[in-house]
Amino acid sequence: MKTKQLKVKTDGLLTKKELNHAVETLSAGELVAFPTETVYGLGADATNSLAILKIYQAKGRPSDNPLIAHVGSFNQLKRLVKYVPTYVEELIHHFSPGPITYILKHNHVCSNKVTAGLDTIAVRIPSHPVALQLLKACEFPVAAPSANLSGKPSPTSAKHVLKDLAGKIPLIIDAGNTGVGLESTVLDCTGDLPVILRDGSITREMIEKVLNVTLKQSEQLTIKTPKSPGLKYKHYAPAIPLILIQGNKEKIRTEILAYQALGKKVGILLSDQTAMKLDLKSNFRLGQTIEEIASNLYDGLRSFENMDYDVIIAESFEKKELGIAVMDRLTRAATKII
Ligand code: AMP
Ligand code: MG
């Protein structure tokens, strides 16, 4: 299959003809990769089981790992679920459209292949203008996991999507680099208060402030049968080993030298500040702020596997605010943490 590319200018939208083509492709039960503000999604009509099976096939994704249904408005969201708790309305008011996903009891509108047979569904309204344009034009919800091969770092550019899925999907909408760079915050909203199942750029502090409550620490990342099925799988891992260094930054230099002494080609993934402090040349510029680091992280992980490096040495970041999500992804990507 040839993968057709539709290029959208930065801050631009699809033309009417392009939009029709994308909607028709989805309506015909085919897959369309599209940009969101977090990462690129691999979309299919969420009411069409055969279309959803194509997502699992193209990604090589385990079929017990449910997908997020994407919609363009609160009204479209309400059509998929039994009820919307008051606190979810409040969160939607503050954070949606945006990088946050709500897990709610569903009403069987979506295929049970989307929900992996659970009685709940994950729903998100993304804020990327092209994603919103596409979702508003669809009469159906669009199920969309990240548009990468299962287990690999999520795609933050169309180039990443093509590396993993060229020839396997008919259409990709290319709108340049995504902004946030990490997947959405996932909230279980089936109880009296939300529980964070996956950290993202909408942080615990931001949610607590809006709801004026203190949330339980999420135990989901460590328990054996996590409430979010996806958490039990290996994620975000580049094709080469990644060593994550905690604590004293001098340990980074020691590790690099040790691998180089073995004749290994070492990819170094550091913030600009640490690179300067250690007087080391980072082979990929992650940037300075935690927002830049989040935005560039997956491109960094992917860049090393393209350039025949043997190992990646990565720095740890402070586990606060967005740093919590960055460390969650790095920890899951790591082969070894020292
Ligand atoms: P991805 O598609 O890679 O962005 O991952 C979506 C995440 O949401 C995975 O970790 C899924 O396991 C999780 N998820 C999706 N639907 C549900 C649901 N109904 N209940 C719990 N977790 C879910
Ligand atoms: Mg994913």
Side-chain angles (χ1 to χ4, degrees), residues 156-157 159-160 284 295-304:
T156 52
S157 71
K159 199 177 75 192
H160 297 161
F284 177 89
S295 179
N296 293 327
L297 181 65
Y298 291 146
D299 192 33
L301 294 180
R302 281 175 174 266
S303 72
F304 292 121

Side-chain angles (χ1 to χ4, degrees), residues 273-284:
Q273 304 84 294
T274 303
M276 197 142 85
K277 194 163 146 208
L278 295 177
D279 197 18
L280 280 170
K281 202 169 161 314
S282 188
N283 316 99
F284 177 89

Side-chain angles (χ1 to χ4, degrees), residues 12-322:
L13 289 172
L14 295 162
T15 62
K16 204 162 172 54
K17 195 168 154 217
E18 289 168 339
L19 180 62
N20 283 343
H21 179 56
V23 174
E24 275 162 20
T25 308
L26 287 169
S27 304
E30 297 297 337
L31 306 184
V32 175
F34 63 98
T36 81
E37 73 280 18
T38 58
V39 301
Y40 273 76
L42 182 59
D45 175 353
T47 64
N48 179 339
S49 296
L50 287 177
I52 299 304
L53 286 174
K54 291 181 187 168
I55 292 185
Y56 286 100
Q57 261 167 13
K59 280 182 63 88
R61 180 172 171 120
S63 60
D64 66 346
N65 189 4
L67 310 175
I68 297 174
H70 291 69
V71 292
S73 69
F74 185 37
N75 272 339
Q76 286 182 330
L77 180 150
K78 281 194 284 193
R79 278 184 224 141
L80 311 186
V81 300
K82 280 206 166 125
Y83 60 89
V84 179
T86 317
Y87 70 82
V88 174
E89 281 192 38
E90 236 169 293
L91 293 174
I92 288 175
H93 179 69
H94 278 86
F95 300 122
S96 299
I100 183 163
T101 298
Y102 310 98
I103 291 177
L104 296 160
K105 295 272 179 195
H106 69 69
N107 61 5
H108 301 278
V109 165
C110 290
S111 154
N112 63 5
K113 299 283 178 286
V114 173
T115 58
L118 299 173
D119 63 355
T120 53
I121 185 153
V123 196
R124 175 163 111 82
I125 311 173
S127 64
H128 193 292
V130 174
L132 273 181
Q133 183 192 21
L134 179 65
L135 295 168
K136 280 180 192 295
C138 288
E139 278 163 19
F140 43 82
V142 174
S146 47
N148 55 287
L149 292 176
S150 196
K152 302 250 298 178
S154 296
T156 52
S157 71
K159 199 177 75 192
H160 297 161
V161 178
L162 288 171
K163 172 97 199 301
D164 283 12
L165 299 176
K168 291 183 167 185
I169 59 173
L171 183 63
I172 170 169
I173 303 170
D174 176 356
N177 293 341
T178 59
V180 176
L182 297 181
E183 304 78 359
S184 61
T185 305
V186 177
L187 284 186
D188 176 0
C189 299
T190 55
D192 292 340
L193 279 177
V195 176
I196 299 180
L197 300 185
R198 178 171 74 187
D199 290 292
S201 66
I202 307 285
T203 62
R204 170 183 304 279
E205 290 79 7
M206 289 158 76
I207 294 164
E208 289 182 335
K209 202 166 159 210
V210 163
L211 299 181
N212 198 17
V213 294
T214 307
L215 298 182
K216 271 194 312 194
Q217 286 296 322
S218 166
E219 73 271 24
Q220 302 298 333
L221 302 179
T222 48
I223 59 175
K224 274 216 175 89
T225 11
K227 204 158 182 184
S228 210
L231 294 174
K232 67 176 185 267
Y233 294 108
K234 181 122 184 106
H235 261 89
Y236 322 118
I240 48 175
L242 184 147
I243 318 292
L244 182 61
I245 315 281
Q246 290 183 315
N248 188 344
K249 303 279 180 213
E250 275 301 326
K251 269 165 58 186
I252 297 170
R253 190 196 313 281
T254 317
E255 278 303 307
I256 293 170
L257 290 174
Y259 275 99
Q260 284 174 339
L262 295 171
K264 303 282 184 202
K265 189 171 171 194
V266 184
I268 308 172
L269 203 56
L270 306 174
S271 66
D272 293 358
Q273 304 84 294
T274 303
M276 197 142 85
K277 194 163 146 208
L278 295 177
D279 197 18
L280 280 170
K281 202 169 161 314
S282 188
N283 316 99
F284 177 89
R285 276 204 59 193
L286 270 181
Q288 288 183 10
T289 63
I290 196 70
E291 285 76 20
E292 284 177 294
I293 290 164
S295 179
N296 293 327
L297 181 65
Y298 291 146
D299 192 33
L301 294 180
R302 281 175 174 266
S303 72
F304 292 121
E305 55 175 71
N306 295 342
M307 294 187 291
D308 63 302
Y309 281 85
D310 297 308
V311 61
I312 303 171
I313 308 271
E315 169 185 9
S316 290
F317 300 95
E318 198 184 344
K319 283 191 193 166
K320 68 162 203 202
E321 295 162 1
L322 183 54

